[in-house]
């Protein structure tokens, strides 16, 4: 295992320490228990947004804490759900008097621990709503999930719901917007290589030198099938078509196209996939009106990528465009 | 070789096609010959800024074309200098009547080809100045270089000179600011793994399973020494100390600390290195007043990182803070 770490058991804590120092203008890292909030605390009169999940997917979620997106993020151990005693104080710290929306990726551990945390926060008088992100079309039910997994589409949920909160929507309104994003976003990914969890020290799964896994999960959970390595056009088609079909995209619609890197793939290759995916959408008569390309929901150093498509309307597009100022998204 | 590409011989062209489509609001990709300009063309009355070099270091340089940074970027083949007939039209397209500054990383091929291109552009009536970036303290002279190599410090030169041009400085003024950055910026990098040039198909060099190369170049050129893999604290010290010593940093000074990923290293590990480097600077009494952490000057999918330190003063800090709107840097 080759990693820039000291004690692998402290990987998350050491990384969060650096993260907090590098972005002290935007975030504050709390250490007992671990959670991350906006440096300036909850915004009075604004619905708070909290997300979280296992570490190893950076910049998700802590990289999206700031103006116009999350108020708090709760990092678990690598690929391990955060605990209720981490999540509950993050929810409380995000309440500006209008309640808090918890954005939860659909993994059984995350769902259960957020449920418990929401009960704890409600017992302290915070009004809390939850939305479940399950955008991965690859498989129904998986290693850690009942139903579909939540993957890169989470970025769109957090960005757009964050903008709705800044706009002044109440808790029901922000929740409805988040649910509209969930209903209109789909993703699918591919792994070229496995990743290695620091405290485990060996790759999470084996892939042959000439083999890739189509439909991989962001923890290396099995996908749809293993196939021989082929070209970017073939691979992109095998990701984009299930996504577009599941969305039921029709000619004349417009979308956000988001090509996400898994951590170990060069940006140059992500742009190749983006170009191929865009061409396939255009062949369907679908207009790509917004784009995002980069490493946003990663699996440590895994080589691979995912393709996410979000069906847009005027309101979702305007909320996507609204200003955002976080460590990882900024416009 | 596992890459998300179609024909490896078209890797750069295919990537640029996707890049241009994804960022059509900011950039225009010209294909015969290949160069990238601002979508809106040269800014009249502003000094133009052009940079370029071999591909494989994305987002450098094309990712920094836009408002407040470069007016044009010229990508060569992977790890290969762009040709004068690519560079010259990029210089001409960037001239808004106040002349153009060419920012050149110190590699022999880049230096020669930019020199020829500058002569061609001058023959067309464009006033051109050049600045050479040579921030890598690892070695004097190298595989492709006489003198020190230009590496991640290039981002600081392009950002700060870009802000000076927006401020309205004339060509001599922008050049002087760029030279002040070069005089005050130093870098050093480490490789944990080698990278593979697409059209070559096998790793550029061999590193043992428990071996790292300290002082690596961004094309995998040899560094200072190979050592056994150690912890992030040890590795960071071996990068930061030569950088700080070479700069002659004294207690009470303030700096930009930039931890750059080589492409295949997770963001979480870069933050660990950042935290360690910051502690070492603080032990010297040096204040880190600005920070940048991420993959900005990469070596394809190489795992590794570099540490860059720029000595700041009020003016350089204000120019660093000035608004920037490019595909890869945005604030």
């Amino acid at each position: 295992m080759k990693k820039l770490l000291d004690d692998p058991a402290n990987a998350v804590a050491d990384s969060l320490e650096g993260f907090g120092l590098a972005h002290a203008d935007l975030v504050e890292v709390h250490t007992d228990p671990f959670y991350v909030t906006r440096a300036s605390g909850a915004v009075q009169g604004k619905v708070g947004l909290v997300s979280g999940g296992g570490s190893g997917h950076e910049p998700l979620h802590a990289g999206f804490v700031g103006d116009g997106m999350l108020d708090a993020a709760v990092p678990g151990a690598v690929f391990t759900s955060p605990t209720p005693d981490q999540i509950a104080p993050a929810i409380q710290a995000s309440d500006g008097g209008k309640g808090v929306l918890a954005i939860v990726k659909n993994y059984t551990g995350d769902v259960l621990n957020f449920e418990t945390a929401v009960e704890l926060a409600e017992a302290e008088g915070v009004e809390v709503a939850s939305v479940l992100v399950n955008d991965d079309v690859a498989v129904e039910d998986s290693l850690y999930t009942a139903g579909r997994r939540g993957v890169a589409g989470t970025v769109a949920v957090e960005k757009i719901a964050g903008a709705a909160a800044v706009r002044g929507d109440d808790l029901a309104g922000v929740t409805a917007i988040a649910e509209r994003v969930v209903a209109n976003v789909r993703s699918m990914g591919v792994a070229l290589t496995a990743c290695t969890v620091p405290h485990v020290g060996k790759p999470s799964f084996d892939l042959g030198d000439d083999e890739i896994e189509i439909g991989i999960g962001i923890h290396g959970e099995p996908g749809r099938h293993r196939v021989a390595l082929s070209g970017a056009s073939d691979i992109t088609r095998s990701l984009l078509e299930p996504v577009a079909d599941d969305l039921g995209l029709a000619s004349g619609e417009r979308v956000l196209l988001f090509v996400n890197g898994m951590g170990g793939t060069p940006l140059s290759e992500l742009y190749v996939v983006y170009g191929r995916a865009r061409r396939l959408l255009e062949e369907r008569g679908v207009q790509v009106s917004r784009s995002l390309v980069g490493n946003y929901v990663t699996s440590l150093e895994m080589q691979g990528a995912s393709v996410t498509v979000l069906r847009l309307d005027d309101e979702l597009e305007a909320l996507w465009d609204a200003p955002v100022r976080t460590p990882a998204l900024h416009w």
Side-chain angles (χ1 to χ4, degrees), chain A:
Chain A
M1 178 180 77
K2 280 185 155 179
K3 291 180 186 285
L4 290 165
L5 296 175
D6 285 318
D7 181 354
N10 294 332
V12 173
D14 288 348
S15 182
L16 283 171
E17 182 191 338
F19 174 78
L21 290 166
H23 304 291
D25 54 328
L26 293 170
V27 304
E28 180 177 354
V29 175
H30 306 258
T31 54
D32 188 23
F34 274 110
Y35 61 98
V36 177
T37 60
R38 294 161 47 91
S40 50
V43 181
Q44 291 308 309
K46 184 186 84 69
V47 169
L49 258 70
V50 176
S51 192
S55 290
H57 308 301
E58 291 73 20
L60 187 82
H61 296 271
F64 302 127
V65 173
D67 299 338
M69 217 161 158
L70 298 179
D71 295 274
V74 193
V78 174
F79 293 177
T80 303
S81 300
T83 56
D85 70 303
Q86 289 178 266
I87 304 168
I91 292 174
Q92 287 179 250
S94 301
D95 186 24
K98 284 186 71 173
V100 175
L101 176 63
I103 298 171
V104 186
K105 301 197 302 303
N106 189 32
Y107 298 98
T108 304
D110 289 14
V111 172
L112 292 175
N113 289 356
F114 265 90
E115 275 175 6
T116 305
V118 167
E119 286 170 18
L120 292 170
E122 285 175 337
E124 300 291 328
V126 183
E127 191 186 2
V128 191
S130 296
V131 64
L132 207 60
V133 186
N134 59 354
D135 55 312
D136 188 343
V137 304
V139 292
E140 286 290 333
D141 302 336
S142 184
L143 206 51
Y144 311 111
T145 325
R148 287 177 167 184
R149 302 173 297 219
V151 292
T154 310
V155 177
V157 179
E158 296 179 357
K159 170 66 187 79
I160 289 174
V166 168
R167 183 173 68 176
D169 291 13
D170 63 12
L171 183 57
V174 175
T175 306
I177 286 282
E179 283 171 349
R180 206 159 102 216
V181 177
V182 170
N184 287 286
V185 69
R186 301 288 187 280
S187 303
M188 191 155 146
V190 62
L192 277 63
T193 62
C195 57
T196 297
V197 174
H199 62 265
V200 176
K202 59 187 176 60
S204 301
F205 57 99
D206 292 313
L207 264 181
D209 282 347
D210 195 37
E211 203 179 36
I212 62 175
E213 173 112 12
I214 301 282
I216 195 80
I218 56 173
H219 312 91
E221 308 96 305
R224 288 192 176 185
H225 39 253
R226 290 187 175 196
V227 296
L229 176 66
S230 59
S233 293
D234 272 357
I235 295 171
T236 305
R237 184 180 296 275
S238 68
L239 302 181
L240 191 278
E241 296 208 328
V243 164
D245 289 346
D246 199 272
L247 265 180
L249 278 182
S251 179
E253 293 199 284
R254 70 182 193 273
V255 300
L256 163 75
L257 173 58
F258 168 25
V259 173
N260 173 62
M262 295 294 194
T265 284
L267 187 57
S268 54
E269 295 178 28
L270 301 182
Y271 281 119
V272 175
V273 172
Y274 174 88
R276 294 341 190 202
R278 181 156 172 153
R279 198 179 294 171
L280 293 169
L281 286 167
E282 286 170 354
E283 284 172 7
R284 289 172 175 248
V286 173
Q287 182 205 351
V288 176
S289 66
R290 295 293 182 274
S291 303
L292 186 67
V293 182
N295 291 289
Y296 293 100
V297 180
T298 61
S299 301
L300 297 164
E301 74 284 0
M302 184 188 283
Q303 284 184 273
S306 60
V307 173
T308 295
V309 177
L310 168 64
R311 178 188 279 115
L312 288 173
D313 55 39
D314 288 346
E315 186 182 24
L316 294 184
E317 200 169 77
L319 291 168
W320 177 260
D321 289 347
V324 60
R325 186 167 163 266
T326 69
L329 267 197
H330 203 152
W331 60 68

